[in-house]
Amino acid sequence: MNLFIQYQRAASLLFLFVFIAGCGDSGKEHFTLAGSTMGTTYHITVLEREGIKSNQQELQQAIDQQLLLINQQMSTYQDDSELSKFNRALVGEWVNVSANLFDILVMSMELSWLTGGAFDITVGPLVNLWGFGPDGLDMPSTVPDAGNIKALLEQSGFQAIELALDDNSIRKTKPVILDLSAIAKGYGVDKVAELLLYAGYTDFMVEIGGELRLAGNSPRGTPWRIAIEQPDANAFGQSNKAVQVSGVSIATSGDYRNYFEQDGKRYSHTIDPTTGYPTDHSLASITVIADSSAYADGLATALNVLGPEKALQLAEQQGLAIYMLVKTEQGFAAQYSEAFKPYLQ
Ligand code: ADP
Ligand code: MG
């Protein structure tokens, strides 16, 4: 089993339409596929289309193959993955990589520059030290030694990754270790969506570990209704707000699913690359809507690092659609960007 994340889901979204087996009075003919990948589960709903004779078994095989391939390229839970091999490569050595791995690295760098380094795929060793990475299951859930944090922080930094656009090769100029867990699930969603589009489907939902991409209509015959979860560890599956979406991806990042507590303080799996410590602010969850799922996934993590004020500022400046739930004494207060407004009903 190849794992990207150690738990079922990180922060998440809920899909709100009623599952109607096959076709009912109100439901369009559709089928669902489910399975596991990247240490979590996937769920896919596809509306039938006239003229397309789908062999669901073949479709599922193609999807599983695609996801296995992505794992083989990007997993840090798999020693022989392309990424793990690069992580063992020497400083300065150019390594030729697959188009998929190269693409996701380009997007990761874009997100790093956009967010002033809040997104940084070299924080893997720190994620591990805090007990949230591949070695996490063997790690105690306690605050690590400050000296160890500082040492790993000095060894990190996305600026040490160089990409050669002419021949898909990469190298590091410092002994950094790359971890794509914050963006790979979204990338998997995009690849599955591409496969469905290629097979001729126009209406579907693809979800991997809470990352979603929606196309066309839901079985209700209307755009997809997605619920943003109440960011409360004890309120599993309770909805805070519903949004109506189509032709986009949606991702949520938060501190309420994957964390530990020590001396009354919460330490979550999102690491601030400037301090080496988990993010520490009033943002309980942030939901991002964007075209690509990889981008939404990565951006949600990055903006979660920035915190509510800086995230909103960047969102307004760049026209990003974000919805945040900020902790207050009364509960959670919603704050959202101009670009998110059209999705609220
Ligand atoms: P969430 O939905 O809460 O953002 P994800 O699974 O998408 O959860 O991303 C969290 C994972 O991203 C962590 O487990 C860690 O491996 C990685 N990560 C943590 N902090 C950062 C960061 N600042 N930049 C990039 N990746 C990070
Ligand atoms: Mg993410």
Side-chain angles (χ1 to χ4, degrees):
M1 190 54 206
N2 315 315
L3 303 175
F4 270 105
I5 54 163
Q6 69 201 88
Y7 298 107
Q8 266 288 96
R9 304 192 306 172
S12 200
L13 296 150
L14 313 162
F15 7 109
L16 277 186
F17 68 93
V18 190
F19 282 94
I20 307 149
C23 177
D25 286 345
S26 52
K28 292 254 165 76
E29 190 108 31
H30 67 279
F31 60 92
T32 59
L33 305 170
S36 45
T37 183
M38 302 182 185
T40 184
T41 52
Y42 71 76
H43 298 93
I44 299 164
T45 299
V46 185
L47 271 69
E48 301 277 14
R49 258 194 101 192
E50 235 170 279
I52 299 180
K53 287 211 171 47
S54 57
N55 179 333
Q56 285 177 35
Q57 216 178 338
E58 268 175 28
L59 191 61
Q60 176 131 28
Q61 267 171 11
I63 289 167
D64 283 333
Q65 248 169 32
Q66 182 66 256
L67 292 170
L68 273 176
L69 176 71
I70 294 172
N71 242 11
Q72 181 61 37
Q73 291 163 335
M74 304 173 184
S75 177
T76 42
Y77 286 77
Q78 202 175 310
D79 268 350
D80 66 347
S81 75
E82 242 188 296
L83 188 64
S84 293
K85 283 185 198 154
F86 175 72
N87 280 339
R88 291 192 298 268
L90 299 174
V91 170
E93 180 191 348
W94 283 105
V95 178
N96 209 260
V97 298
S98 62
N100 281 355
L101 182 54
F102 197 79
D103 279 355
I104 200 172
L105 289 172
V106 169
M107 188 182 281
S108 298
M109 299 303 270
E110 190 185 326
L111 283 167
S112 293
W113 291 116
L114 178 74
T115 61
F119 190 79
D120 192 330
I121 56 171
T122 69
V123 299
L126 282 158
V127 174
N128 244 333
L129 181 69
W130 280 93
F132 298 113
D135 305 335
L137 298 175
D138 308 325
M139 305 285 285
S141 289
T142 52
V143 175
D145 174 74
N148 290 344
I149 295 173
K150 190 160 170 274
L152 290 185
L153 196 57
E154 278 162 10
Q155 278 172 39
S156 69
F158 71 94
Q159 296 91 339
I161 308 165
E162 286 186 2
L163 306 175
L165 294 166
D166 52 345
D167 70 344
N168 283 13
S169 56
I170 60 177
R171 72 169 176 179
K172 50 194 164 193
T173 56
K174 256 168 66 173
V176 289
I177 307 274
L178 312 190
D179 164 23
L180 294 168
S181 302
I183 187 170
K185 289 189 292 311
Y187 190 81
V189 168
D190 285 330
K191 283 289 165 186
V192 172
E194 264 174 38
L195 205 150
L196 292 171
L197 289 167
Y198 175 71
Y201 295 103
T202 50
D203 306 80
F204 54 79
M205 178 202 74
V206 179
E207 179 261 352
I208 301 178
E211 314 300 342
L212 286 169
R213 180 154 160 174
L214 302 311
N217 283 335
S218 80
R220 284 176 169 164
T222 54
W224 299 84
R225 267 167 64 79
I226 304 299
I228 296 167
E229 211 173 20
Q230 188 71 4
D232 183 337
N234 304 315
F236 190 87
Q238 212 170 302
S239 148
N240 174 285
K241 186 86 200 161
V243 293
Q244 189 139 322
V245 280
S246 184
V248 291
S249 300
I250 179 162
T252 293
S253 179
D255 74 346
Y256 58 99
R257 193 71 79 212
N258 201 349
Y259 66 88
F260 68 83
E261 273 174 5
Q262 188 178 318
D263 302 326
K265 197 169 154 58
R266 181 175 294 191
Y267 298 93
S268 91
H269 71 159
T270 305
I271 305 292
D272 183 340
T274 58
T275 63
Y277 283 74
T279 54
D280 184 16
H281 47 58
S282 60
L283 188 55
S285 83
I286 175 157
T287 297
V288 177
I289 295 180
D291 288 344
S292 109
S293 177
Y295 201 76
D297 188 8
L299 194 58
T301 301
L303 296 180
N304 189 10
V305 171
L306 287 183
E309 292 87 16
K310 284 189 188 154
L312 194 59
Q313 206 182 347
L314 186 66
E316 296 301 10
Q317 188 196 322
Q318 298 286 327
L320 309 170
I322 69 163
Y323 182 93
M324 303 185 291
L325 289 167
V326 180
K327 288 174 215 163
T328 65
E329 274 170 24
Q330 290 78 37
F332 302 106
Q335 288 179 20
Y336 46 89
S337 63
E338 202 53 40
F340 201 90
K341 279 186 186 161
Y343 301 107
L344 297 167
Q345 298 136 341

